[in-house]
Amino acid sequence: MTSRMPVRLGCAAFAAGLAVLSLAACGQDSGGSSSGGKKVIGVSVADQKSLFYVAEVDGIKDEAKKQGYDVDVTSANNDSTAQVKQVNDLLTKQVGALIFTPQDSTSAAAGVRAANNANVPVVAVDERPDPGQGKLATYIATDSVKAAYNLCTWMFKQIGDQGDIAILHGVLGSTAEIQRTQGCQKALKENPGIKVVAEATANWDETQAFSATQNILTAHPEIKAVFGESDAMGLGAAKAAKAAGKSIFSVGIDGFPSMFDAIAQGLTQGTEAQQPYKMGQMAVDNAIALMNGKGSSIPAVQYQDTVLVNKDNVAQYKDDPFYGPNAQSMK
């Protein structure tokens, strides 16, 4: 995940115009059906800058093509207002299902409620609306609590179960930020020798993480490690430490191909690799089942595990299974 600045948005935003910036639309007509008479699957993602979302959309397109369905994919470019308009436009086209990766958890509610009102099933991926803000057919995401707990526990062991560390947070209030903070806090409670001496918000962004880590290292030159809640922030922390002539243990969560390279080079030490390409494929499978009245057995929540990648196993993931066939081109 990369930087996604939250914008608080109410349902009134649907009164805005229906302009839509479509990244890809594969042959759908104004009635929401493909040339074969099948309903088109509508897709709304927060952006196509984050490699997670790029890989998710790759998985969506590949699986839809494999199963003979068309998709109408829109990207909000990190603009909640634009995304609300795009979702409304997809619903106006009478898509058969909506695969939805919202910009942020609060603005997600408006899109889910609109889909509910249109009787269009929603398959949410990665980010979810606040509780009580609409009905999802299913939610597919990384188990970020588990991922952060496992990563922090491993990191603490690597630094001898004692010492000062810093934490770099993603966008405050986002699902991933909340869960990854919870996971690391759980690990901290089990490791009293580890002390958090500094925390900063870097919004999933490498440049912000670089600047934040520079400030942290100035105030706390003794820190042993930085837990970045994303790979971009873990990379930013490691690069700041290198620029300052310091050696720290730096980790992240994502599994970006660039993070694999950094681990292999010794710049960073580990990541919990997510599976966005698989999640995109799963979302299409679920959407098709729902469109065909066969979605009753789909679980409400489908958390996907991550894989710890470090110097001991990074070589085996050169052909990255996590981000799909195009992973190496994402560096």
Side-chain angles (χ1 to χ4, degrees):
M1 299 175 69
T2 55
S3 176
R4 295 188 292 155
M5 300 306 291
V7 178
R8 303 303 181 192
L9 185 65
C11 289
F14 276 99
L18 299 179
V20 59
L21 299 174
S22 179
L23 278 179
C26 305
Q28 77 282 2
D29 61 27
S30 60
S33 295
S34 67
S35 57
K38 298 176 180 178
K39 282 283 189 178
V40 171
I41 301 170
V43 182
S44 174
V45 295
D47 69 53
Q48 280 289 270
K49 297 175 183 177
S50 164
L51 297 186
F52 182 101
Y53 299 146
V54 172
E56 176 196 342
V57 169
D58 283 349
I60 288 170
K61 290 180 178 179
D62 289 350
E63 188 64 22
K65 182 178 180 180
K66 177 182 176 182
Q67 298 205 38
Y69 280 78
D70 291 342
V71 290
D72 189 342
V73 183
T74 63
S75 169
N77 197 28
N78 296 313
D79 184 333
S80 291
T81 301
Q83 187 169 37
V84 171
K85 294 177 182 177
Q86 290 169 356
V87 169
N88 203 33
D89 189 67
L90 288 171
L91 296 173
T92 300
K93 294 178 181 179
Q94 298 180 348
V95 294
L98 175 66
I99 297 175
F100 193 25
T101 297
Q103 161 68 14
D104 56 66
S105 60
T106 301
S107 61
V112 174
R113 284 196 296 263
N116 291 166
N117 290 337
N119 293 317
V120 173
V122 181
V123 177
V125 180
D126 186 53
E127 193 75 33
R128 70 189 303 175
D130 292 332
Q133 296 300 311
K135 181 180 179 181
L136 301 176
T138 188
Y139 172 56
I140 303 169
T142 295
D143 188 342
S144 284
V145 175
K146 182 178 179 181
Y149 171 78
N150 289 343
L151 183 62
C152 285
T153 298
W154 175 80
M155 181 177 74
F156 299 161
K157 183 177 180 180
Q158 302 307 304
I159 63 174
D161 296 319
Q162 60 182 356
D164 295 344
I165 71 164
I167 297 176
L168 297 178
H169 294 273
V171 174
L172 297 180
S174 65
T175 303
E177 186 275 327
I178 291 170
Q179 293 184 347
R180 293 174 189 181
T181 299
Q182 289 175 345
C184 197
Q185 287 296 329
K186 180 181 177 183
L188 285 164
K189 290 179 181 178
E190 297 175 2
N191 291 271
I194 302 295
K195 182 180 179 183
V196 179
V197 296
E199 298 182 64
T201 301
N203 296 309
W204 313 121
D205 185 76
E206 181 176 323
T207 301
Q208 292 184 44
F210 184 95
S211 297
T213 303
Q214 284 183 316
N215 294 333
I216 289 170
L217 289 171
T218 298
H220 304 280
E222 76 288 352
I223 66 168
K224 288 186 175 182
V226 173
F227 167 46
E229 291 184 341
S230 74
D231 278 358
M233 295 191 294
L235 282 165
K239 291 176 180 180
K242 182 177 180 179
K246 295 182 179 295
S247 177
I248 63 170
F249 204 90
S250 180
V251 299
I253 296 177
D254 276 316
F256 289 166
S258 56
M259 188 65 156
F260 288 5
D261 287 349
I263 292 169
Q265 296 162 7
L267 177 64
T268 58
Q269 284 66 50
T271 183
E272 287 283 345
Q274 302 185 96
Q275 304 183 68
Y277 185 81
K278 176 185 175 183
M279 291 182 198
Q281 293 175 306
M282 290 174 62
V284 170
D285 283 339
N286 290 176
I288 292 172
L290 290 159
M291 290 161 63
N292 293 324
K294 300 177 180 179
S296 59
S297 63
I298 297 174
V301 176
Q302 301 182 73
Y303 279 131
Q304 303 301 300
D305 285 335
T306 53
V307 175
L308 174 62
V309 178
N310 56 32
K311 65 178 181 180
D312 296 326
N313 64 1
V314 66
Q316 74 186 69
Y317 295 119
K318 288 301 182 182
D319 295 320
D320 185 351
F322 307 104
Y323 281 69
N326 297 321
Q328 294 307 308
S329 67
M330 296 179 183
K331 295 179 182 179

